[in-house]
């Protein structure tokens, strides 16, 4: 997959495009990408996305994201996107009229001959552009419009807002059903205090991106993916209060029957189920005993 910035001096030709924040790339987003693949007919499949949502930019807030920029790129690559174009949110962009967006962005820059979008797709200054605007200009703009209905979960439209709420509640199984793939934290394994090795339960420790939306502190059933190999694990999100005196959140994974050194490697930690809240134990031995119980329960599944 080719990754480019909108500001790069690159112009594409004869492409099929979908546009959006794509925070999480949930089941509804996957439907858009699948439709692009079905309709491509030799054209390059382009995702035009934004580092921030317009609401976050306009309110000058730092929003937590379901998936980081790097994670979004990996998912798009995995889902067959040819070109991933990142658009910075600037005053100039936000002040574009719908006509300017179609002409300057979709046509001149991306070279789109078809756009795939949801029924509530809005664009241009004050979000005045919509699917009806696009459909009315199909012939004039030589831009076919394919509208995909929203995916539902329990009779409700799947949305990133709903997924965020479920993440914050720790309802990982519901999150994964709406995403259609596991909630994942990706990061480089950092050196810790090596306590895990001393108690013969080594951990792979990741410091999550500061913009990553995390579920509640606690222990989760996970799968750790390293170099295309998958390993069952239990993962603690939190501050490890038994042995640490810090407020820095870490993601610590105990990989079953795994002894290799993972320091410096990039891991995907894929979450499947909440097991228990994080707890401060009276001693390291008590902590080890609980970890052994957690791992024993995991082996029964």
């Amino acid at each position: 997959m080719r990754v480019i910035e909108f500001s790069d001096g690159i112009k594409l030709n004869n492409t099929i495009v979908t546009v959006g924040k794509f925070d999480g790339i949930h089941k509804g987003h996957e439907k858009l990408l699948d439709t692009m693949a079905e309709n491509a007919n030799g054209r390059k499949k382009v995702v035009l996305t934004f580092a921030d949502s317009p609401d976050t930019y306009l309110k000058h807030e730092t929003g937590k994201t379901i998936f980081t920029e790097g994670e979004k790129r990996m998912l798009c690559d995995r889902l067959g996107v040819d070109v991933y174009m990142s658009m910075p949110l600037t005053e100039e962009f936000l002040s574009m009229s719908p006509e300017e967006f179609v002409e300057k962005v979709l046509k001149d820059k991306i070279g789109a001959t078809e756009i795939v979008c949801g029924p509530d797709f809005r664009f241009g200054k004050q979000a005045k552009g919509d699917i009806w605007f696009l459909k009315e200009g199909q012939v004039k703009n030589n831009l076919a419009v394919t509208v995909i209905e929203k995916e539902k979960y329990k009779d409700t439209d799947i949305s990133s807002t709903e997924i965020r709420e479920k993440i914050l509640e720790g309802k990982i199984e519901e999150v994964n059903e709406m995403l259609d793939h596991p909630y994942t934290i990706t990061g480089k394994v950092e050196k810790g205090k090596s306590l895990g090795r001393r108690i013969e339960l080594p951990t792979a420790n990741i410091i999550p991106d500061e913009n990553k939306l995390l579920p509640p502190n606690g222990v989760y059933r996970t799968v750790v993916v390293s170099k295309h190999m998958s390993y069952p694990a239990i993962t603690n999100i939190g501050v490890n209060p038994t042995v640490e005196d810090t407020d820095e959140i870490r993601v610590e994974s105990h990989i079953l029957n795994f002894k290799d050194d993972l320091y410096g490697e990039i891991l995907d930690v894929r979450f499947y189920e909440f097991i228990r809240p994080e707890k401060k134990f009276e001693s390291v031995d008590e902590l080890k005993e609980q970890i052994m119980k957690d791992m024993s329960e995991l082996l029964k599944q």
Side-chain angles (χ1 to χ4, degrees):
M1 183 181 76
R2 186 181 183 188
V3 178
I4 59 177
E5 299 291 329
F6 185 81
S7 58
D8 292 343
I10 297 169
K11 289 192 176 186
L12 307 175
N13 293 292
N14 192 28
T15 67
I16 182 169
V17 64
T18 190
V19 182
K21 175 68 169 69
F22 296 110
D23 183 14
I25 308 188
H26 56 62
K27 191 178 288 188
H29 296 142
E30 287 186 357
K31 194 172 180 180
L32 295 175
L33 299 181
D34 288 344
T35 302
M36 278 211 305
E38 291 167 6
N39 293 4
N41 195 25
R43 292 174 292 182
K44 293 290 187 184
K45 304 178 293 294
V46 180
V47 164
L48 174 64
T49 189
F50 312 99
D52 297 300
S53 71
D55 284 346
T56 300
Y57 178 84
L58 291 169
K59 294 174 183 176
H60 304 289
E61 297 173 351
T62 302
K64 299 285 185 179
T65 59
I66 299 169
F67 285 89
T68 65
E69 182 69 11
E71 290 165 349
K72 277 171 56 179
R73 290 179 182 182
M74 284 190 287
L75 275 168
C76 282
D77 189 26
R78 200 178 300 158
L79 291 165
V81 172
D82 295 312
V83 180
Y84 181 100
M85 182 180 287
S86 182
M87 165 74 86
L89 286 179
T90 62
E91 293 290 349
E92 180 184 4
F93 170 73
L94 293 171
S95 65
M96 276 186 185
S97 68
E99 292 84 359
E100 288 176 314
F101 179 81
V102 171
E103 187 62 34
K104 295 181 178 179
V105 178
L106 297 183
K107 299 300 298 180
D108 288 353
K109 187 70 175 180
I110 298 175
T113 53
E114 182 175 351
I115 181 170
V116 179
C117 56
D120 58 352
F121 177 54
R122 310 288 298 210
F123 59 95
K125 187 176 181 180
Q126 298 176 344
K128 288 182 177 179
D130 58 16
I131 61 170
W132 306 112
F133 176 88
L134 289 171
K135 286 185 172 182
E136 287 172 4
Q138 284 186 97
V139 175
K140 180 184 74 172
N141 297 316
N142 188 27
L143 181 66
V145 181
T146 301
V147 179
I148 304 300
E149 292 303 314
K150 286 178 169 288
E151 286 287 290
K152 293 184 179 294
Y153 176 72
K154 294 183 177 179
D155 298 322
T156 302
D157 289 344
I158 294 175
S159 70
S160 295
T161 299
E162 179 74 11
I163 293 169
R164 285 190 192 93
E165 290 174 0
K166 295 298 183 184
I167 290 172
L168 293 173
E169 292 169 0
K171 296 179 178 178
I172 298 299
E173 289 159 295
E174 292 188 54
V175 168
N176 291 350
E177 285 194 55
M178 287 188 280
L179 289 175
D180 202 33
H181 53 83
Y183 168 85
T184 301
I185 298 175
T186 301
K188 185 168 73 171
V189 179
E190 307 280 352
K191 278 191 175 290
K193 293 184 176 180
S194 299
L195 172 67
R197 292 196 178 278
R198 292 201 298 273
I199 63 175
E200 299 180 334
L201 290 171
T203 62
N205 304 323
I206 292 172
I207 299 174
D209 188 285
E210 61 181 2
N211 294 320
K212 177 80 174 182
L213 183 68
L214 300 175
N217 288 2
V219 177
Y220 295 82
R221 179 172 67 87
T222 60
V223 168
V224 171
V225 180
S226 170
K227 296 179 180 176
H228 306 294
M229 296 294 291
S230 300
Y231 307 94
I234 58 167
T235 297
N236 182 77
I237 295 179
V239 297
N240 201 345
T242 304
V243 296
E244 299 280 1
D245 183 20
T246 178
D247 57 1
E248 183 178 57
I249 300 292
R250 289 177 176 266
V251 178
E252 300 184 338
S253 297
H254 298 268
I255 303 172
L256 272 64
N257 303 317
F258 186 87
K259 303 296 183 184
D260 290 352
D261 187 348
L262 293 172
Y263 291 135
E265 288 194 22
I266 303 296
L267 300 184
D268 281 354
V269 183
R270 300 175 180 175
F271 287 70
Y272 290 91
E273 182 184 6
F274 176 77
I275 297 174
R276 62 174 175 82
E278 185 176 50
K279 176 183 175 182
K280 183 172 183 177
F281 294 92
E282 295 300 320
S283 66
V284 171
D285 286 340
E286 191 178 335
L287 170 62
K288 179 179 178 179
E289 184 180 348
Q290 181 61 60
I291 293 171
M292 295 295 288
K293 286 180 182 177
D294 294 336
M295 295 174 74
S296 178
E297 286 298 313
L298 180 58
L299 287 169
K300 292 178 184 178
Q301 298 185 12

